mmCIF file of all heavy atoms in Angstrom:
data_model
loop_
_atom_site.group_PDB
_atom_site.id
_atom_site.type_symbol
_atom_site.label_atom_id
_atom_site.label_comp_id
_atom_site.label_asym_id
_atom_site.label_seq_id
_atom_site.Cartn_x
_atom_site.Cartn_y
_atom_site.Cartn_z
ATOM 1 N N PHE A 253 125.357 123.907 83.928
ATOM 2 C CA PHE A 253 124.528 124.363 82.790
ATOM 3 C C PHE A 253 123.233 123.605 82.822
ATOM 4 O O PHE A 253 122.178 124.242 82.896
ATOM 5 C CB PHE A 253 125.234 124.173 81.525
ATOM 6 C CG PHE A 253 124.427 124.640 80.254
ATOM 7 C CD1 PHE A 253 124.514 125.886 79.782
ATOM 8 C CD2 PHE A 253 123.473 123.804 79.609
ATOM 9 C CE1 PHE A 253 123.830 126.254 78.656
ATOM 10 C CE2 PHE A 253 122.674 124.190 78.625
ATOM 11 C CZ PHE A 253 122.925 125.507 78.063
ATOM 12 N N GLY A 254 123.182 122.350 82.758
ATOM 13 C CA GLY A 254 122.041 121.472 82.770
ATOM 14 C C GLY A 254 121.204 121.613 83.996
ATOM 15 O O GLY A 254 119.901 121.654 83.925
ATOM 16 N N GLY A 255 121.822 121.621 85.097
ATOM 17 C CA GLY A 255 121.121 121.795 86.377
ATOM 18 C C GLY A 255 120.349 123.104 86.454
ATOM 19 O O GLY A 255 119.202 123.132 86.918
ATOM 20 N N MET A 256 120.930 124.173 86.057
ATOM 21 C CA MET A 256 120.202 125.506 86.225
ATOM 22 C C MET A 256 119.070 125.586 85.113
ATOM 23 O O MET A 256 118.007 126.120 85.449
ATOM 24 C CB MET A 256 121.196 126.585 86.005
ATOM 25 C CG MET A 256 122.205 126.774 87.088
ATOM 26 S SD MET A 256 121.572 126.749 88.728
ATOM 27 C CE MET A 256 120.449 128.203 88.680
ATOM 28 N N PHE A 257 119.211 125.014 83.962
ATOM 29 C CA PHE A 257 118.131 124.965 82.984
ATOM 30 C C PHE A 257 117.016 124.174 83.459
ATOM 31 O O PHE A 257 115.854 124.698 83.432
ATOM 32 C CB PHE A 257 118.719 124.312 81.714
ATOM 33 C CG PHE A 257 117.767 124.340 80.544
ATOM 34 C CD1 PHE A 257 117.751 125.330 79.610
ATOM 35 C CD2 PHE A 257 116.780 123.399 80.428
ATOM 36 C CE1 PHE A 257 116.866 125.356 78.574
ATOM 37 C CE2 PHE A 257 115.787 123.348 79.364
ATOM 38 C CZ PHE A 257 115.878 124.388 78.488
ATOM 39 N N LEU A 258 117.210 122.940 84.070
ATOM 40 C CA LEU A 258 116.119 122.162 84.591
ATOM 41 C C LEU A 258 115.574 122.763 85.851
ATOM 42 O O LEU A 258 114.416 122.649 86.170
ATOM 43 C CB LEU A 258 116.644 120.702 84.816
ATOM 44 C CG LEU A 258 117.100 119.917 83.635
ATOM 45 C CD1 LEU A 258 117.614 118.549 84.042
ATOM 46 C CD2 LEU A 258 115.924 119.837 82.677
ATOM 47 N N LEU A 259 116.340 123.477 86.738
ATOM 48 C CA LEU A 259 115.757 124.074 87.896
ATOM 49 C C LEU A 259 114.823 125.178 87.534
ATOM 50 O O LEU A 259 113.787 125.279 88.137
ATOM 51 C CB LEU A 259 116.994 124.591 88.722
ATOM 52 C CG LEU A 259 116.553 125.395 90.047
ATOM 53 C CD1 LEU A 259 115.885 124.324 91.006
ATOM 54 C CD2 LEU A 259 117.736 125.937 90.716
ATOM 55 N N LEU A 260 115.114 125.926 86.596
ATOM 56 C CA LEU A 260 114.138 126.988 86.159
ATOM 57 C C LEU A 260 112.948 126.349 85.649
ATOM 58 O O LEU A 260 111.835 126.850 85.786
ATOM 59 C CB LEU A 260 114.820 127.970 85.166
ATOM 60 C CG LEU A 260 115.712 129.042 85.691
ATOM 61 C CD1 LEU A 260 116.417 129.847 84.639
ATOM 62 C CD2 LEU A 260 114.797 130.021 86.447
ATOM 63 N N LEU A 261 113.024 125.248 84.843
ATOM 64 C CA LEU A 261 111.815 124.623 84.292
ATOM 65 C C LEU A 261 110.981 124.088 85.484
ATOM 66 O O LEU A 261 109.706 124.241 85.437
ATOM 67 C CB LEU A 261 112.332 123.400 83.414
ATOM 68 C CG LEU A 261 111.178 122.478 82.931
ATOM 69 C CD1 LEU A 261 110.232 123.280 81.986
ATOM 70 C CD2 LEU A 261 111.836 121.340 82.160
ATOM 71 N N PHE A 262 111.540 123.490 86.449
ATOM 72 C CA PHE A 262 110.878 123.019 87.623
ATOM 73 C C PHE A 262 110.166 124.162 88.443
ATOM 74 O O PHE A 262 109.004 124.161 88.707
ATOM 75 C CB PHE A 262 111.785 122.340 88.607
ATOM 76 C CG PHE A 262 111.256 122.004 89.923
ATOM 77 C CD1 PHE A 262 110.382 121.034 90.154
ATOM 78 C CD2 PHE A 262 111.738 122.802 91.028
ATOM 79 C CE1 PHE A 262 109.957 120.779 91.419
ATOM 80 C CE2 PHE A 262 111.239 122.535 92.326
ATOM 81 C CZ PHE A 262 110.295 121.583 92.445
ATOM 82 N N LEU A 263 110.874 125.267 88.601
ATOM 83 C CA LEU A 263 110.382 126.424 89.386
ATOM 84 C C LEU A 263 109.205 127.141 88.623
ATOM 85 O O LEU A 263 108.212 127.428 89.263
ATOM 86 C CB LEU A 263 111.494 127.441 89.686
ATOM 87 C CG LEU A 263 112.539 126.861 90.650
ATOM 88 C CD1 LEU A 263 113.702 127.969 90.786
ATOM 89 C CD2 LEU A 263 111.918 126.690 92.074
ATOM 90 N N ASN A 264 109.338 127.255 87.307
ATOM 91 C CA ASN A 264 108.280 127.914 86.557
ATOM 92 C C ASN A 264 107.037 127.158 86.560
ATOM 93 O O ASN A 264 105.879 127.677 86.489
ATOM 94 C CB ASN A 264 108.801 128.126 85.140
ATOM 95 C CG ASN A 264 109.582 129.459 84.978
ATOM 96 O OD1 ASN A 264 109.367 130.376 85.766
ATOM 97 N ND2 ASN A 264 110.352 129.526 83.910
ATOM 98 N N PHE A 265 107.124 125.766 86.612
ATOM 99 C CA PHE A 265 105.916 125.079 86.800
ATOM 100 C C PHE A 265 105.286 125.020 88.200
ATOM 101 O O PHE A 265 104.176 125.343 88.409
ATOM 102 C CB PHE A 265 106.176 123.533 86.345
ATOM 103 C CG PHE A 265 104.974 122.583 86.438
ATOM 104 C CD1 PHE A 265 104.128 122.561 85.402
ATOM 105 C CD2 PHE A 265 104.720 121.862 87.646
ATOM 106 C CE1 PHE A 265 102.974 121.749 85.495
ATOM 107 C CE2 PHE A 265 103.630 121.022 87.721
ATOM 108 C CZ PHE A 265 102.711 120.967 86.648
ATOM 109 N N MET A 266 106.140 124.869 89.194
ATOM 110 C CA MET A 266 105.641 124.770 90.507
ATOM 111 C C MET A 266 105.172 126.129 91.073
ATOM 112 O O MET A 266 104.265 126.168 92.025
ATOM 113 C CB MET A 266 106.749 124.251 91.459
ATOM 114 C CG MET A 266 107.019 122.697 91.252
ATOM 115 S SD MET A 266 105.529 121.847 91.598
ATOM 116 C CE MET A 266 105.984 120.278 90.807
ATOM 117 N N LEU A 267 105.683 127.220 90.634
ATOM 118 C CA LEU A 267 105.366 128.491 91.177
ATOM 119 C C LEU A 267 104.304 129.185 90.344
ATOM 120 O O LEU A 267 103.886 130.287 90.600
ATOM 121 C CB LEU A 267 106.564 129.445 91.216
ATOM 122 C CG LEU A 267 107.389 129.354 92.574
ATOM 123 C CD1 LEU A 267 107.994 127.974 92.704
ATOM 124 C CD2 LEU A 267 108.468 130.344 92.548
ATOM 125 N N ALA A 268 103.787 128.484 89.317
ATOM 126 C CA ALA A 268 102.718 129.001 88.417
ATOM 127 C C ALA A 268 101.378 128.921 89.204
ATOM 128 O O ALA A 268 101.199 128.130 90.147
ATOM 129 C CB ALA A 268 102.644 128.162 87.169
ATOM 130 N N ASP A 269 100.481 129.828 88.770
ATOM 131 C CA ASP A 269 99.120 129.907 89.510
ATOM 132 C C ASP A 269 98.193 128.790 88.800
ATOM 133 O O ASP A 269 97.640 128.989 87.709
ATOM 134 C CB ASP A 269 98.597 131.268 89.246
ATOM 135 C CG ASP A 269 97.201 131.436 90.045
ATOM 136 O OD1 ASP A 269 96.901 130.570 90.880
ATOM 137 O OD2 ASP A 269 96.471 132.402 89.699
ATOM 138 N N ARG A 270 98.172 127.694 89.398
ATOM 139 C CA ARG A 270 97.220 126.600 88.887
ATOM 140 C C ARG A 270 96.431 126.145 90.101
ATOM 141 O O ARG A 270 96.902 125.906 91.223
ATOM 142 C CB ARG A 270 98.121 125.522 88.198
ATOM 143 C CG ARG A 270 99.154 124.860 89.121
ATOM 144 C CD ARG A 270 99.978 123.869 88.370
ATOM 145 N NE ARG A 270 100.918 124.520 87.537
ATOM 146 C CZ ARG A 270 101.040 124.537 86.264
ATOM 147 N NH1 ARG A 270 100.075 123.843 85.599
ATOM 148 N NH2 ARG A 270 101.936 125.127 85.567
ATOM 149 N N SER A 271 95.221 125.689 89.655
ATOM 150 C CA SER A 271 94.334 125.207 90.809
ATOM 151 C C SER A 271 94.601 123.693 91.139
ATOM 152 O O SER A 271 94.408 123.322 92.320
ATOM 153 C CB SER A 271 92.835 125.357 90.284
ATOM 154 O OG SER A 271 92.604 124.550 89.078
ATOM 155 N N LEU A 272 94.985 122.932 90.226
ATOM 156 C CA LEU A 272 95.266 121.488 90.528
ATOM 157 C C LEU A 272 96.682 121.341 91.139
ATOM 158 O O LEU A 272 97.666 121.841 90.622
ATOM 159 C CB LEU A 272 95.146 120.714 89.199
ATOM 160 C CG LEU A 272 95.463 119.255 89.366
ATOM 161 C CD1 LEU A 272 94.342 118.550 90.153
ATOM 162 C CD2 LEU A 272 95.637 118.563 87.981
ATOM 163 N N THR A 273 96.667 120.713 92.269
ATOM 164 C CA THR A 273 97.963 120.479 92.975
ATOM 165 C C THR A 273 98.039 118.999 93.238
ATOM 166 O O THR A 273 96.951 118.295 93.478
ATOM 167 C CB THR A 273 98.102 121.248 94.300
ATOM 168 O OG1 THR A 273 97.056 120.972 95.094
ATOM 169 C CG2 THR A 273 98.281 122.742 93.922
#
Side-chain angles (χ1 to χ4, degrees):
F253 179 95
M256 294 310 300
F257 185 95
L258 294 179
L259 180 63
L260 276 173
L261 175 60
F262 167 75
L263 291 173
N264 272 336
F265 180 85
M266 288 300 165
L267 274 64
D269 185 15
R270 61 184 75 247
S271 59
L272 179 69
T273 57

